[in-house]
Coordinates of all heavy atoms in Angstrom, one line a residue:
M15 N -12.3 21.2 0.9 CA -11.9 20.0 0.3 C -11.5 19.0 1.4 O -10.8 19.3 2.3 CB -10.6 20.2 -0.6 CG -10.2 19.0 -1.4 SD -9.0 19.5 -2.6 CE -8.1 18.0 -2.8
P16 N -12.0 17.8 1.3 CA -11.8 16.8 2.4 C -10.3 16.4 2.4 O -9.6 16.5 1.4 CB -12.7 15.6 2.1 CG -12.9 15.8 0.6 CD -12.9 17.2 0.3
R17 N -9.9 16.0 3.6 CA -8.5 15.6 3.8 C -8.2 14.1 3.4 O -7.1 13.7 3.4 CB -8.1 15.8 5.2 CG -8.0 17.2 5.6 CD -7.5 17.3 7.0 NE -7.5 18.7 7.4 CZ -7.1 19.1 8.6 NH1 -6.7 18.3 9.5 NH2 -7.1 20.4 8.9
F18 N -9.3 13.4 3.0 CA -9.1 12.0 2.7 C -8.1 11.7 1.7 O -7.3 10.8 1.8 CB -10.5 11.4 2.4 CG -10.4 9.9 2.0 CD1 -10.2 8.9 2.9 CD2 -10.6 9.5 0.7 CE1 -10.1 7.6 2.6 CE2 -10.5 8.2 0.3 CZ -10.2 7.3 1.3
P19 N -8.1 12.4 0.5 CA -7.1 12.1 -0.5 C -5.7 12.2 -0.1 O -4.8 11.4 -0.4 CB -7.4 13.0 -1.7 CG -8.9 13.4 -1.5 CD -9.1 13.4 0.0
N20 N -5.4 13.3 0.7 CA -4.1 13.5 1.2 C -3.7 12.4 2.2 O -2.5 11.9 2.1 CB -4.0 14.8 2.0 CG -4.2 16.0 1.1 OD1 -4.0 15.9 -0.1 ND2 -4.6 17.1 1.6
R21 N -4.5 11.9 3.0 CA -4.2 10.9 4.0 C -4.1 9.5 3.2 O -3.2 8.7 3.6 CB -5.3 10.7 5.0 CG -5.2 11.9 6.0 CD -6.2 11.8 7.1 NE -6.2 12.9 8.0 CZ -7.0 13.1 9.0 NH1 -7.9 12.2 9.3 NH2 -6.9 14.2 9.7
A22 N -4.9 9.3 2.2 CA -4.8 8.1 1.4 C -3.5 8.0 0.7 O -2.8 6.9 0.7 CB -6.0 7.9 0.5
I23 N -3.0 9.1 0.1 CA -1.8 9.1 -0.6 C -0.6 8.9 0.4 O 0.3 8.2 0.1 CB -1.6 10.4 -1.4 CG1 -2.6 10.5 -2.5 CG2 -0.2 10.6 -1.9 CD1 -2.7 11.8 -3.2
A24 N -0.7 9.6 1.6 CA 0.4 9.4 2.6 C 0.4 8.0 3.1 O 1.5 7.4 3.2 CB 0.1 10.4 3.7
A25 N -0.8 7.4 3.3 CA -0.8 6.0 3.8 C -0.2 5.0 2.7 O 0.5 4.1 3.0 CB -2.2 5.6 4.1
G26 N -0.5 5.2 1.5 CA 0.0 4.4 0.4 C 1.5 4.6 0.3 O 2.2 3.6 0.1
A27 N 2.0 5.8 0.5 CA 3.5 6.0 0.4 C 4.1 5.3 1.6 O 5.2 4.7 1.4 CB 3.8 7.5 0.4
I28 N 3.6 5.3 2.7 CA 4.1 4.6 3.9 C 4.1 3.1 3.7 O 5.1 2.4 4.0 CB 3.4 5.0 5.2 CG1 3.7 6.5 5.5 CG2 3.8 4.1 6.3 CD1 2.9 7.0 6.7
L29 N 3.0 2.6 3.2 CA 3.0 1.1 2.9 C 4.0 0.7 1.9 O 4.7 -0.3 2.0 CB 1.6 0.7 2.4 CG 0.5 0.7 3.5 CD1 -0.8 0.4 2.8 CD2 0.8 -0.4 4.5
A30 N 4.2 1.5 0.8 CA 5.2 1.2 -0.2 C 6.6 1.3 0.4 O 7.4 0.4 0.1 CB 5.1 2.2 -1.4
M31 N 6.9 2.3 1.2 CA 8.2 2.4 1.9 C 8.5 1.2 2.8 O 9.6 0.6 2.8 CB 8.3 3.7 2.7 CG 9.6 3.9 3.3 SD 9.6 5.3 4.4 CE 8.5 4.8 5.7
I32 N 7.5 0.8 3.5 CA 7.6 -0.3 4.5 C 7.9 -1.6 3.7 O 8.8 -2.4 4.0 CB 6.4 -0.5 5.4 CG1 6.4 0.7 6.4 CG2 6.4 -1.8 6.1 CD1 5.1 0.7 7.2
S33 N 7.2 -1.8 2.6 CA 7.4 -3.1 1.8 C 8.7 -3.1 1.2 O 9.4 -4.2 1.2 CB 6.3 -3.2 0.8 OG 6.5 -2.3 -0.3
D34 N 9.2 -2.0 0.7 CA 10.6 -1.9 0.1 C 11.7 -2.2 1.2 O 12.7 -2.7 0.9 CB 10.8 -0.6 -0.6 CG 10.1 -0.5 -1.9 OD1 9.6 -1.6 -2.4 OD2 9.9 0.6 -2.4
T35 N 11.4 -1.7 2.4 CA 12.4 -1.8 3.5 C 12.4 -3.1 4.2 O 13.4 -3.7 4.5 CB 12.2 -0.7 4.5 OG1 12.3 0.6 3.8 CG2 13.3 -0.7 5.5
M36 N 11.2 -3.6 4.5 CA 11.0 -4.7 5.4 C 10.9 -6.1 4.6 O 11.0 -7.1 5.2 CB 9.7 -4.6 6.3 CG 9.8 -3.3 7.1 SD 11.1 -3.3 8.3 CE 10.5 -4.5 9.5
I37 N 10.6 -6.0 3.3 CA 10.5 -7.3 2.6 C 11.5 -7.2 1.4 O 11.1 -7.1 0.2 CB 9.1 -7.4 2.1 CG1 8.0 -7.1 3.2 CG2 8.8 -8.8 1.5 CD1 6.6 -7.1 2.7
P38 N 12.8 -7.4 1.7 CA 13.8 -7.3 0.6 C 13.7 -8.3 -0.4 O 14.0 -8.1 -1.6 CB 15.1 -7.3 1.4 CG 14.8 -8.0 2.7 CD 13.4 -7.6 3.0
E39 N 13.2 -9.5 -0.1 CA 13.0 -10.6 -1.1 C 12.0 -10.2 -2.1 O 12.2 -10.4 -3.3 CB 12.6 -11.9 -0.4 CG 13.6 -12.5 0.5 CD 13.5 -11.9 1.9 OE1 12.5 -11.2 2.2 OE2 14.4 -12.2 2.7
A40 N 10.9 -9.6 -1.7 CA 9.9 -9.1 -2.7 C 10.5 -8.0 -3.6 O 10.2 -8.0 -4.8 CB 8.7 -8.6 -1.9
F41 N 11.3 -7.1 -3.0 CA 11.9 -6.1 -3.8 C 12.8 -6.6 -4.8 O 12.9 -6.1 -5.9 CB 12.6 -5.1 -2.8 CG 13.1 -3.8 -3.5 CD1 12.2 -2.9 -4.0 CD2 14.5 -3.7 -3.7 CE1 12.7 -1.8 -4.7 CE2 14.9 -2.6 -4.4 CZ 14.1 -1.6 -4.9
E42 N 13.6 -7.6 -4.5 CA 14.5 -8.2 -5.4 C 13.8 -8.8 -6.6 O 14.3 -8.7 -7.7 CB 15.4 -9.3 -4.7 CG 16.4 -8.8 -3.8 CD 17.2 -9.9 -3.1 OE1 16.9 -11.0 -3.4 OE2 18.0 -9.5 -2.2
Q43 N 12.7 -9.4 -6.4 CA 12.0 -10.1 -7.5 C 11.1 -9.2 -8.3 O 11.1 -9.3 -9.6 CB 11.1 -11.2 -6.9 CG 11.9 -12.4 -6.3 CD 11.0 -13.4 -5.7 OE1 9.8 -13.4 -5.7 NE2 11.7 -14.4 -5.1
T44 N 10.4 -8.3 -7.7 CA 9.5 -7.4 -8.5 C 10.0 -6.0 -8.6 O 9.4 -5.2 -9.3 CB 8.1 -7.4 -7.9 OG1 8.2 -6.9 -6.5 CG2 7.5 -8.8 -7.9
H45 N 11.1 -5.6 -8.0 CA 11.7 -4.3 -8.0 C 10.8 -3.2 -7.8 O 10.3 -2.9 -6.8 CB 12.6 -4.2 -9.2 CG 13.6 -3.1 -9.1 ND1 14.5 -3.0 -8.1 CD2 13.7 -2.0 -9.9 CE1 15.2 -1.9 -8.3 NE2 14.8 -1.3 -9.4
D46 N 10.4 -2.5 -8.9 CA 9.6 -1.3 -8.9 C 8.2 -1.5 -8.4 O 7.5 -0.6 -8.0 CB 9.6 -0.6 -10.2 CG 11.0 0.0 -10.5 OD1 11.8 0.3 -9.6 OD2 11.3 0.1 -11.8
F47 N 7.7 -2.7 -8.6 CA 6.3 -3.0 -8.3 C 6.0 -3.6 -6.9 O 4.8 -3.8 -6.6 CB 5.7 -4.0 -9.4 CG 5.8 -3.4 -10.8 CD1 6.6 -3.9 -11.7 CD2 5.0 -2.3 -11.1 CE1 6.7 -3.4 -13.0 CE2 5.0 -1.8 -12.4 CZ 5.9 -2.3 -13.3
A48 N 7.0 -3.8 -6.1 CA 6.8 -4.4 -4.8 C 5.9 -3.5 -3.9 O 5.0 -3.9 -3.3 CB 8.1 -4.6 -4.1
G49 N 6.2 -2.2 -3.9 CA 5.4 -1.3 -3.1 C 3.9 -1.2 -3.6 O 3.0 -1.2 -2.9
L50 N 3.8 -1.1 -5.0 CA 2.5 -1.0 -5.5 C 1.7 -2.3 -5.2 O 0.5 -2.2 -4.9 CB 2.6 -0.8 -7.1 CG 1.3 -0.8 -7.8 CD1 0.4 0.4 -7.4 CD2 1.5 -0.7 -9.3
I51 N 2.3 -3.5 -5.3 CA 1.6 -4.7 -5.1 C 1.1 -4.8 -3.6 O 0.0 -5.2 -3.3 CB 2.5 -5.9 -5.4 CG1 2.7 -6.0 -6.9 CG2 1.9 -7.2 -4.9 CD1 3.8 -6.9 -7.4
T52 N 2.0 -4.3 -2.7 CA 1.6 -4.3 -1.3 C 0.5 -3.3 -1.0 O -0.5 -3.7 -0.3 CB 2.8 -3.8 -0.4 OG1 3.9 -4.7 -0.7 CG2 2.5 -3.8 1.0
V53 N 0.5 -2.2 -1.6 CA -0.6 -1.2 -1.4 C -1.9 -1.8 -2.0 O -3.0 -1.7 -1.4 CB -0.2 0.1 -2.1 CG1 -1.5 1.1 -2.1 CG2 0.9 0.8 -1.3
L54 N -1.8 -2.4 -3.2 CA -3.0 -3.0 -3.7 C -3.6 -4.1 -2.9 O -4.8 -4.3 -2.8 CB -2.7 -3.5 -5.2 CG -2.5 -2.4 -6.2 CD1 -2.1 -3.0 -7.5 CD2 -3.7 -1.5 -6.3
G55 N -2.7 -4.9 -2.3 CA -3.1 -5.9 -1.3 C -3.9 -5.4 -0.1 O -4.9 -5.9 0.3
F56 N -3.3 -4.3 0.4 CA -4.0 -3.7 1.6 C -5.3 -3.1 1.2 O -6.3 -3.1 1.9 CB -3.1 -2.6 2.2 CG -2.1 -3.2 3.2 CD1 -0.9 -3.6 2.9 CD2 -2.5 -3.4 4.6 CE1 0.0 -4.1 3.8 CE2 -1.6 -3.9 5.5 CZ -0.4 -4.3 5.1
L57 N -5.3 -2.5 0.0 CA -6.6 -1.9 -0.5 C -7.6 -3.0 -0.7 O -8.8 -2.8 -0.4 CB -6.3 -1.2 -1.8 CG -7.6 -0.5 -2.5 CD1 -8.2 0.5 -1.6 CD2 -7.2 0.1 -3.8
A58 N -7.2 -4.1 -1.3 CA -8.2 -5.2 -1.5 C -8.7 -5.7 -0.1 O -9.9 -6.0 0.0 CB -7.5 -6.4 -2.3
A59 N -7.8 -5.9 0.9 CA -8.3 -6.3 2.2 C -9.2 -5.3 2.8 O -10.2 -5.7 3.4 CB -7.0 -6.5 3.1
F60 N -9.0 -4.0 2.6 CA -9.9 -3.0 3.2 C -11.2 -3.1 2.5 O -12.3 -3.0 3.2 CB -9.2 -1.6 3.0 CG -10.1 -0.5 3.3 CD1 -10.4 -0.2 4.7 CD2 -10.8 0.3 2.4 CE1 -11.2 0.8 5.1 CE2 -11.6 1.3 2.7 CZ -11.8 1.6 4.1
V61 N -11.3 -3.2 1.2 CA -12.5 -3.2 0.5 C -13.3 -4.5 0.8 O -14.5 -4.4 1.1 CB -12.3 -3.2 -1.1 CG1 -13.5 -3.5 -1.8 CG2 -11.8 -1.8 -1.5
L62 N -12.7 -5.6 0.9 CA -13.4 -6.8 1.3 C -13.9 -6.7 2.7 O -15.0 -7.2 3.0 CB -12.4 -8.0 1.2 CG -12.1 -8.4 -0.3 CD1 -11.1 -9.5 -0.3 CD2 -13.4 -8.8 -1.0
S63 N -13.2 -6.1 3.6 CA -13.6 -6.0 5.0 C -14.9 -5.1 5.1 O -15.8 -5.3 5.9 CB -12.5 -5.5 5.9 OG -12.2 -4.1 5.7
K64 N -14.9 -4.0 4.2 CA -16.0 -3.1 4.2 C -17.3 -3.8 3.6 O -18.4 -3.5 3.9 CB -15.7 -1.8 3.5 CG -14.7 -1.0 4.3 CD -15.3 -0.6 5.6 CE -14.3 0.2 6.4 NZ -14.8 0.6 7.7
L65 N -17.0 -4.7 2.6 CA -18.2 -5.3 2.0 C -18.8 -6.4 2.9 O -20.0 -6.6 2.8 CB -17.7 -6.1 0.7 CG -17.3 -5.2 -0.5 CD1 -16.8 -6.0 -1.6 CD2 -18.5 -4.4 -1.0
G66 N -18.0 -6.9 3.8 CA -18.5 -7.8 4.8 C -19.4 -7.2 5.9 O -20.0 -7.9 6.7
E67 N -19.4 -5.9 6.0 CA -20.2 -5.3 7.1 C -21.6 -5.2 6.8 O -22.1 -5.2 5.8 CB -19.6 -3.8 7.4 CG -18.3 -3.8 8.0 CD -17.8 -2.4 8.2 OE1 -18.4 -1.4 7.9 OE2 -16.7 -2.3 8.8

């Protein structure tokens, strides 16, 4: 089994933790969804960068 899913989950968890810690204003407004929104933003940026290759 490839290690990609494990690394992707770990990377998403780190991004969610960083957004909750480093961006308190976003956490105050969206509370539970701040981490998810950040991870989705990074995922969208990744997908768009791969489509441009």
